[in-house]
């Protein structure tokens, strides 16, 4: 167990270092950081002072080590646009995106898994066909179109939900949350559902496929032969076995939820990281871009670690396999 | 819709795919063909896809107006409703947009760009990914580890993000004018960059299985070049999974392109793709000029749906267990 | 505001939050893009200036009807042709509590007139600002300046002590060391900054120690400015009541907003002229590397462009009638507007082709059109419409439409006028023709040509502009203005398109009254809520 965790941890650190190297090169070599920061009017002395301050006169490996050192402390430098510290900008935006992503993930699981189980168990029921058709349409409509149509329908025609932004916040010691007021919920529900829809259909299809596979396996057949109740077979054995891939996918999907929050946030003007990065990219604000990369990678790595640990809890068979072979 | 979605599902489904099956042979044996003819939905999807392809390829001849010829646009034709509406004009069956562009024609020309970008990206990703997968699976060892770790890291960043970053970097490195010239290429590269991993993983798996089979071992013993072995014996066996992934990737690529164009980093407004058309029309959605968004939107959804259906069917058809 | 009812456990919290917000009068308003920065001497852009004027005091304030009223100066007298004396208001404090004195005015003058400041134009005629005593200053101009007082609302007063403490004298563009002033405004204005979350919101609250707080007209407790770039989202937001005011109303949505009983659409003429500019400075057009030619140096080419663009079609279709095609760089209502000369260039593509042929460009040439996409009404759509018009006379146009701050950086001094062909809109900050001549139509002299991005320069116009600056007699001055505009018009120095119309959407269930100024901005002093 310990060896496994250490191995995964080492791998995670390696991944972070590689992503860090990419971000670092982005910052160091794309454009002239000094020019980007001071503009045309700056004097030569100002430029030189800034070079010194940014450590641009050191050899590259030293610069990288310094950069990693600062990044670990959460210091990603100054944004090119207004000279505000990137860490502050991110801290301002992070809660909004994390809440959005978390709610989406919960929605996707809470709706997707039962739908998947149902369609898996009742392959030929008409409701299953409806679910499947809807899910196929779900993955064929671009997120932005869903967002626009939802705004049009719920926001403008029905007037039930607000159309943009994030309000009704309660400040919990620096973390502003939407979840403690009705108003907060009214603002988050539509963007979260828009973001969840794609994952939801994905999870449903995945659970269905897994259920179909598992139900065909011998141990289920034996269980049936032994006369176990189908309820206990379906949920006690079959569903439990489908959870492994669902967990894997959900882990992988957090990354794409984060990325897709860029679109959702643009459509709903949700003041999170997505809006920050899209502006950052428009302005070629390299410090924002590179720190966003690192942050996404960090999420990915942490979540994957958690997923790996969850495997242990869910599927005992994997304990041997996963420690034995590095590949997967 | 994003890359990391599929690798998981596809990696898994590919594991259940028969790796030794030659798709073409099976097709002509009638197995796959039979399943095709039995599914009316699939046939419908196929016909739809085909129709879109024809419309796109022959747009310059079929479209009522050549919207790619910018000089022919007349502002005075702007905001015409579809032909059955109040300000309909038979010359513009689905109405016109804010610049006087015929909506039907611009959808056809838009399809052209969407499909071109999608196809180019997927083919690029498939070729590169397959090659990486073959090398990784066949050579193994350090090479395998390196390629697969790169793939892992790559998976951290969904297609949209890679494409956006790519766009940002291109714009900072090149001048505005050069970046514009390079736009289409950079779009294709970015989407391809986000998709090769899916191919590489699947092909690697198949390759590793094949590699240890006796005939490959034998071929190696009699001194046939490894590359030749891979191309001659391993490649044909991975065609099936590659085809499935390719089809599903095409759907994703088209959506990615539309999304990027919607975010404003896609192809230029003067030569719009479906995503750009939707973005432009979006501004007019509330004012009742719905046709400018809805028609390109529906086209996009139907196209992606049809391609997805084909991909799904192909996956199931090649997987005997599910039948 | 209707909301969906969800069962939550936080009912108590909700009740508390609701009761707290019910008593506060919060005014929420929105336009297309965020402000560029809060350093009052840095940028010169409409929405940015408006926010600056809410936060910073000026010697003289311009009210909604464009008349001048005392702000930090209580009275002013001309002591001679070139010297004005201003009595300053006593007992005024900055937002940080520092007292306002004559030293702050002197310091602000020095800060605003440095080269990097886009606001330097407002004080370009000023030779010196002298402190007489703590509450009296003298302004000396180079020559007699008829527009000095008109420019005073553009002279922003900062706190010397505060700026020096933070080493923020220098105006810096981009993110350098001293961007402190951009994010830490400290003025004497009626509103103080609560927070600015970039691209998200600017929140201000009334400054209770403001010298005129007791008599204030506005009753708002807080104002939240939110940039919403997407037209459809902005429209949805006003319809659902999430914001109280928004501008510009997308032209296609005016009818829809008018039909809503809770929304009024305020319309009126704007004093902003939208025009196109040509690079007449580089020897080689950036789009034609290696050719050694810049077609725009040839008057015939500029004329060809002028006759190729159908401003009437743009007015009718793109602007849905809400614009006035123009041939001049200033709008009716600006001092010195020569009405009889306001003839838009005739639309005649045949003539354009002929002119191009005469100029040696029968086959046309490629050019990139730089355009903002979130600044003026339908800016990107206008540019998109221009592309086929030019295409028809053989010009291959690449459209480069981007967000306003990138656009202004590219065509402005920050990137050394990195443009060949661009769109810009201009309202003279002094409401006088001289401002346009100084900023757009000339290059020579201090504070000149700040936004003359194509560097159009004609010695006669330069000379006339210098004369206009110091001519007091109105008839004589108007005649000089007429001469300068005539030269510029005849050689198509720039290509004016139209004056756009103002269209604001206002919730009538929350907003009691608001003054729509022809400058297209919201002065929070004049917002009264129900």
């Amino acid at each position: 167990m310990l060896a496994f965790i250490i191995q995964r941890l080492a791998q995670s650190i390696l991944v972070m270092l590689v992503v860090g190297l990419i971000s670092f090169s982005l910052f160091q070599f794309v454009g002239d950081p000094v020019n980007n920061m001071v503009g045309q009017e700056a004097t030569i002395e100002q430029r030189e002072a800034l070079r010194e301050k940014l450590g641009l006169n050191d050899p590259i490996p030293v610069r990288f080590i310094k950069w990693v050192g600062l990044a670990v402390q959460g210091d990603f430098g100054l944004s090119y646009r207004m000279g505000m510290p990137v860490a502050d900008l991110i801290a301002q935006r992070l809660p909004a995106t994390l809440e959005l992503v978390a709610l989406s993930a919960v929605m996707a699981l809470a709706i997707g898994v039962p739908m998947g189980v149902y369609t898996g168990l009742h392959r030929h029921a008409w409701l299953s066909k409806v679910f499947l058709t809807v899910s196929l349409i779900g993955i064929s409509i671009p997120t932005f179109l869903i967002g626009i149509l939802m705004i049009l329908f719920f926001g403008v025609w029905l007037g039930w939900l607000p159309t943009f932004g994030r309000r009704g916040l309660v400040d919990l010691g620096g973390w502003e949350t939407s979840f403690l007021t009705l108003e907060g919920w009214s603002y988050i529900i539509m963007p979260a559902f828009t973001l969840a829809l794609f994952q939801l259909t994905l999870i449903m299809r995945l659970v269905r496929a897994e259920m179909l596979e598992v139900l065909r396996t011998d141990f289920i057949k034996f269980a049936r032969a032994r006369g176990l109740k189908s309820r206990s077979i379906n949920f006690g054995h079959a569903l439990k076995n489908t959870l492994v891939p669902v967990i894997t996918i959900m882990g992988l999907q957090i990354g794409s939820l984060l990325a897709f929050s860029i679109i959702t946030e643009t459509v709903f003007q949700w003041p999170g990281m997505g809006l920050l990065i899209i502006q950052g990219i428009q302005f070629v604000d390299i410090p924002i871009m590179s720190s966003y990369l690192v942050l996404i990678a960090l999420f990915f790595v942490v979540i994957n670690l958690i997923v790996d640990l969850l495997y242990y809890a869910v599927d005992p068979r994997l304990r041997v396999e996963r420690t034995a072979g590095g590949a997967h | 819709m994003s890359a990391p979605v599929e690798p998981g599902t596809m990696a898994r489904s590919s594991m259940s795919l028969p790796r030794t099956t030659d798709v073409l042979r099976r097709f002509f044996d009638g197995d796959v063909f039979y399943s095709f003819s039995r599914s009316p939905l699939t046939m419908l999807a196929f016909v739809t896809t085909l129709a879109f392809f024809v419309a796109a390829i022959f747009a310059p001849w079929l479209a009522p107006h050549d919207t790619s010829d910018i000089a022919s646009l007349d502002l005075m034709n702007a905001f015409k409703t579809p032909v059955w509406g109040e300000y309909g004009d038979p010359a513009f069956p689905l109405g016109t947009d804010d610049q006087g562009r015929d909506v039907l024609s611009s959808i056809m020309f838009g399809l052209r760009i969407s499909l071109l970008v999608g196809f180019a990206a997927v083919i690029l990703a498939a070729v590169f990914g397959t090659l990486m997968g073959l090398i990784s699976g066949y050579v193994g060892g350090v090479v395998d580890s390196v390629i697969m770790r790169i793939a892992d890291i790559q998976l951290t960043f969904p297609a949209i993000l890679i494409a956006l970053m790519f766009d940002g970097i291109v714009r900072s490195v090149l001048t505005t004018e050069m970046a514009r010239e390079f736009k289409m290429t950079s779009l294709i590269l970015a989407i391809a960059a986000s998709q090769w991993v899916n191919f590489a993983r699947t092909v690697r798996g198949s390759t590793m299985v094949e590699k240890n089979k006796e005939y490959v071992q034998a071929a190696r013993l009699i001194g046939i070049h490894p590359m030749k072995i891979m191309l001659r014996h391993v490649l044909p066996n991975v065609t099936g999974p590659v085809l499935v992934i390719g089809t599903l990737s095409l759907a994703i690529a088209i959506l990615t392109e539309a999304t990027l164009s919607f975010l404003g980093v896609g192809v230029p407004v003067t030569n719009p793709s479906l995503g750009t058309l939707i973005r432009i029309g979006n501004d007019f959605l509330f004012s009742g000029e719905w046709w400018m968004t809805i028609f390109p939107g529906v086209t996009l959804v139907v196209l992606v749906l049809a391609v997805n259906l084909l991909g799904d069917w192909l996956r199931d058809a090649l997987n005997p267990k599910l039948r | 505001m209707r909301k969906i009812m969800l069962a939550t456990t936080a009912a108590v919290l909700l009740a508390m939050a609701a009761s707290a917000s019910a008593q506060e009068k919060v005014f929420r308003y929105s336009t297309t893009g965020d402000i560029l920065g809060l350093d009052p001497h840095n940028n010169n852009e409409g929405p940015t200036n408006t926010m600056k004027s809410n936060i910073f005091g000026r010697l003289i304030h311009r009210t909604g009807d464009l008349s001048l009223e005392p702000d930090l100066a209580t009275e002013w007298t001309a002591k001679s042709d070139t010297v004005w004396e201003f009595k300053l208001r006593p007992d005024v404090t900055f937002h940080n509590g520092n007292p306002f004195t004559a030293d702050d005015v002197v310091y602000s003058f020095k800060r605003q007139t440095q080269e990097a400041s886009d606001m330097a134009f407002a004080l370009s005629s000023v030779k010196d600002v002298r402190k007489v005593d703590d509450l009296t200053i003298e302004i000396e101009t180079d020559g007699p300046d008829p527009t000095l007082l008109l420019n005073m609302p553009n002279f922003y007063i900062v706190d010397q002590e505060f700026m020096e403490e933070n080493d923020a004298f220098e105006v810096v563009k981009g993110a350098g060391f001293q961007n402190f002033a951009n994010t830490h405004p400290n003025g004497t204005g009626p509103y103080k900054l609560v927070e600015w979350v970039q691209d998200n919101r600017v929140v201000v609250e009334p400054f209770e120690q403001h010298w005129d707080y007791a008599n204030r007209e506005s009753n708002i407790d807080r104002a939240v400015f939110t940039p919403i770039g997407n037209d459809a989202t902005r429209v949805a937001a006003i319809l659902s009541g999430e914001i109280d005011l928004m501008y510009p109303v997308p032209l296609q949505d005016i009818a829809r907003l008018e039909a809503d009983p809770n929304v009024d659409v305020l319309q009126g003429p704007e004093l902003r002229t939208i025009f196109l500019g040509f690079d007449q400075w580089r020897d080689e057009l950036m789009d034609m590397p290696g050719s050694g030619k810049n077609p725009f140096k040839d008057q015939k080419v500029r004329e060809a462009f002028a006759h190729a663009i159908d401003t009437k079609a743009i007015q009718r279709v793109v602007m849905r009638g809400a614009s006035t095609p123009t041939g001049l760089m200033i709008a009716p209502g600006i001092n010195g507007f020569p009405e009889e000369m306001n003839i838009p260039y005739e639309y005649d593509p045949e003539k354009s082709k002929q002119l191009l042929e005469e100029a040696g460009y029968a086959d046309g040439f490629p050019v990139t059109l730089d355009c903002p996409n979130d600044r003026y009404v339908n800016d990107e759509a206008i540019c998109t419409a221009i592309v086929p018009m030019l295409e028809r006379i053989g010009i291959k146009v690449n459209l480069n439409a981007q967000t306003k701050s990138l656009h202004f950086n590219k065509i402005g001094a920050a990137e050394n006028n990195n443009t060949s062909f661009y769109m810009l809109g201009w309202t003279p900050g002094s409401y006088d023709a001289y401002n346009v001549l100084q900023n757009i139509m000339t290059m020579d002299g201090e504070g000149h040509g700040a936004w003359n991005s194509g560097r159009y320069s004609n010695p006669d116009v330069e000379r006339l502009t210098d004369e206009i600056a110091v001519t007091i007699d109105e008839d004589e001055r108007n005649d000089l203005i007429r001469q300068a505009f005539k030269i510029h018009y005849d050689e198509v120095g720039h290509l004016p398109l139209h004056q756009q119309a103002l269209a604001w959407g206002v919730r009538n269930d929350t907003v009691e009254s608001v003054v729509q100024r022809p400058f297209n901005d919201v002065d929070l002093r004049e917002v009264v809520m129900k």
Side-chain angles (χ1 to χ4, degrees), chain A residues 11 14-15 18-19 22 26 30-31 123 136-137 139-145 148-149 151-152 156 198-199 202 205-206 210 212-213 216 245 249 252-253 255-256 259-260 262-263 266-267 277-278 281-284 286 289 292-293 296-297 300 326-328, chain B residues 1-2 4-9 12 16 41 144 149 152-153 155-158 160-161 164-169 171-173 201 204 255 258-260 262-263 265 275 278-279 282 285-286 293-294 297-298 300-301 304-306 308-309 312 315 319 321-322:
Chain A
Q11 274 186 8
L14 192 73
V15 169
V18 173
V19 174
I22 297 171
L26 205 61
V30 176
R123 269 185 81 182
L136 204 59
I137 295 172
I139 63 167
S140 303
I141 303 185
T143 310
F144 63 88
L145 205 54
I148 293 169
L149 294 177
I151 290 179
L152 191 64
V156 179
F198 186 69
Q199 311 299 330
L202 190 86
R205 287 157 69 92
L206 184 72
E210 292 297 328
L212 291 178
E213 296 255 329
R216 252 194 312 269
I249 289 296
L252 282 168
Q253 282 320 94
S256 85
F260 273 85
I262 295 177
I263 302 153
T266 309
V267 174
I277 185 66
I278 193 98
I281 289 168
Q282 257 186 26
F283 286 87
V284 200
I286 302 286
M289 287 164 72
Y292 187 79
L293 278 182
I296 294 271
F300 183 80
H328 55 105
Chain B
M1 186 155 168
S2 80
V5 173
E6 297 303 323
T9 36
R12 292 200 55 83
S16 48
L41 194 60
D144 179 36
R149 284 298 85 74
D152 276 353
I153 293 169
L155 277 186
T156 320
F157 306 108
I160 296 286
L161 194 56
L164 282 173
M165 294 276 176
F166 207 88
D167 178 76
I169 295 167
R171 277 191 297 120
S172 74
V173 175
R201 291 197 152 195
R204 170 179 172 270
L255 283 180
T259 306
L260 289 171
F262 177 77
L263 290 176
V265 301
I278 296 171
R279 176 171 73 91
N282 182 29
L285 198 54
F286 295 152
T293 330
I294 298 299
V298 168
L300 178 70
V301 173
V304 175
L305 187 63
N308 268 331
L309 276 170
D312 262 16
R315 170 161 56 197
N319 184 353
K321 272 196 281 175
L322 281 180

Side-chain angles (χ1 to χ4, degrees), chain B residues 62-104:
Chain B
L62 290 179
H65 302 269
D66 184 359
T67 50
S68 69
D69 174 17
I70 299 164
S72 74
L73 293 186
D74 186 352
L75 207 49
M76 286 305 167
N77 290 330
F79 299 117
K80 287 206 186 334
T81 56
V83 69
W84 58 86
E86 197 181 341
Y87 304 104
D89 181 338
F92 306 99
L94 298 184
T96 59
D97 72 359
D98 63 323
Q99 297 289 339
R101 225 183 262 125
D102 176 38
V103 169
L104 177 64

Side-chain angles (χ1 to χ4, degrees), chain B residues 125-262:
Chain B
V127 170
F128 183 73
T130 306
L131 204 66
M132 285 296 118
L134 281 176
I135 295 172
S136 187
Y138 194 86
V139 179
V142 181
V143 177
D144 179 36
S145 294
V146 169
I147 293 178
M148 283 301 112
R149 284 298 85 74
I150 293 176
D152 276 353
I153 293 169
Q154 166 103 63
L155 277 186
T156 320
F157 306 108
I160 296 286
L161 194 56
I162 294 178
L164 282 173
M165 294 276 176
F166 207 88
D167 178 76
I169 295 167
V170 165
R171 277 191 297 120
S172 74
V173 175
L174 304 179
T175 64
T176 324
E177 286 72 24
M178 279 162 75
R180 294 180 57 81
E181 294 289 309
F182 193 59
K183 193 100 222 182
M184 193 83 108
T185 324
S186 82
L187 202 59
I188 291 170
L189 282 177
I191 299 174
S194 65
Q195 289 192 325
W196 69 273
V197 177
N198 310 341
F199 294 95
R201 291 197 152 195
T202 309
V203 172
R204 170 179 172 270
S206 306
T207 313
M208 280 166 76
V209 172
E210 289 302 309
K211 180 172 89 170
N212 295 322
K213 292 213 169 130
E214 279 157 20
Y215 74 96
V216 178
Q217 304 279 17
R220 205 166 10 187
L221 275 180
I222 58 171
I224 299 178
H225 193 272
M227 207 56 197
K228 203 168 175 188
I229 304 174
M230 287 198 281
L231 290 180
R232 281 283 293 278
H233 300 281
V234 181
L235 197 56
N237 291 319
V238 295
T239 337
V242 166
L243 212 61
V244 174
I245 298 176
T247 315
L248 294 173
S249 297
L250 179 64
I252 296 169
I254 292 170
L255 283 180
T256 309
E257 187 278 322
T259 306
L260 289 171
S261 295
F262 177 77

Side-chain angles (χ1 to χ4, degrees), chain C residues 129-432:
Chain C
V129 175
R130 282 185 300 269
K131 172 181 175 178
V132 176
D133 61 51
D134 264 0
L135 291 174
T136 314
I137 57 143
E138 270 179 8
I139 294 183
E140 186 183 351
T141 53
D142 293 324
D145 180 4
T147 63
L148 181 74
L149 293 180
L150 300 179
N151 267 317
M152 281 300 110
N154 295 314
F155 176 29
Y156 293 88
I157 307 300
V158 296
D159 177 10
Q160 178 177 16
E161 192 185 331
F162 176 78
M163 298 301 268
E164 282 178 348
E165 264 169 31
N166 294 294
D167 193 20
F169 176 78
E170 269 175 77
V171 172
V172 181
K173 295 215 161 43
F177 306 98
Q178 293 158 0
N179 248 295
F180 182 82
N182 241 342
T183 45
H184 296 79
N186 177 33
T188 61
Y191 291 88
K192 59 176 196 287
L193 181 73
V194 176
E195 65 170 343
W196 174 25
V197 181
Q198 213 175 5
D199 302 319
N200 181 3
R201 61 181 184 267
V202 182
V203 183
V204 297
E205 280 178 0
F207 174 49
E208 290 179 9
Q209 284 79 44
H210 183 250
W211 57 269
D212 203 24
Y213 184 75
N215 305 319
R216 72 191 195 124
E217 191 183 323
S218 169
N219 62 350
I220 58 178
D221 297 311
R222 176 188 281 252
V224 182
F225 168 79
T226 312
I228 307 178
N230 186 309
D231 279 351
T233 313
R234 212 165 56 249
V235 171
I238 187 103
L239 285 173
S240 63
E242 284 154 82
I243 50 177
D244 304 304
L245 184 152
M246 67 90 140
Y247 66 94
V249 177
L251 300 170
Q252 63 270 18
D253 293 308
I254 287 178
R256 190 186 155 81
L257 290 195
E258 276 175 339
D260 189 306
N262 293 322
V263 179
D264 290 338
V265 178
L266 303 183
Q267 283 177 280
E270 184 173 0
L271 297 179
R272 183 180 309 283
T273 302
I274 308 292
F275 61 88
L276 301 173
F278 315 99
D279 176 13
Q280 293 158 68
W281 164 59
R282 289 181 180 80
D283 289 327
E284 183 180 273
L285 197 68
M286 285 189 291
D287 293 281
M288 299 166 68
S291 68
K293 285 189 204 165
N294 182 351
F296 290 134
K297 285 190 177 240
D298 189 334
Q299 183 181 328
K300 288 205 165 104
V301 173
R302 301 197 299 270
E303 281 178 36
F305 273 54
H307 293 299
I309 292 173
D310 188 351
T311 48
K312 289 213 178 67
I314 292 176
Q315 179 215 19
R316 230 180 83 187
V317 180
V318 181
M319 301 302 287
R320 302 197 186 213
S323 72
T324 317
T326 182
L328 288 180
M329 295 294 285
I330 48 174
I334 302 289
N335 280 349
F337 175 73
E339 169 123 43
E340 74 286 356
M341 276 175 56
N342 187 18
I343 307 155
Y345 296 98
E346 194 190 347
Y347 174 59
D348 187 352
E350 286 314 312
K351 190 171 173 188
S352 294
K353 279 187 203 156
Q354 197 192 327
L355 284 163
L356 277 183
E357 202 178 318
E358 286 169 24
Y361 298 99
D363 297 329
F365 57 90
V367 68
T368 299
L369 171 57
D370 289 305
C371 202
N373 63 13
D374 55 2
R375 179 63 189 94
Y376 312 114
V377 177
N378 285 350
D379 39 16
E380 187 178 4
I382 296 168
C383 288
T384 315
I386 286 172
V387 173
M389 295 176 183
L390 291 176
E391 207 71 43
R392 279 196 278 276
I393 62 164
I395 306 296
K396 178 94 194 68
V397 186
N398 269 320
L399 178 57
N400 179 37
Q402 53 186 348
T403 185
K404 65 183 184 186
S405 49
L406 287 177
H407 174 72
F408 293 146
N409 267 349
K410 185 168 191 269
I411 73 168
E415 289 185 31
N416 202 17
N417 303 131
N418 179 19
T419 183
S420 305
F421 186 32
Y422 63 92
M423 172 192 261
L424 191 62
W426 195 265
T427 311
S430 59
Y431 298 87
D432 183 274

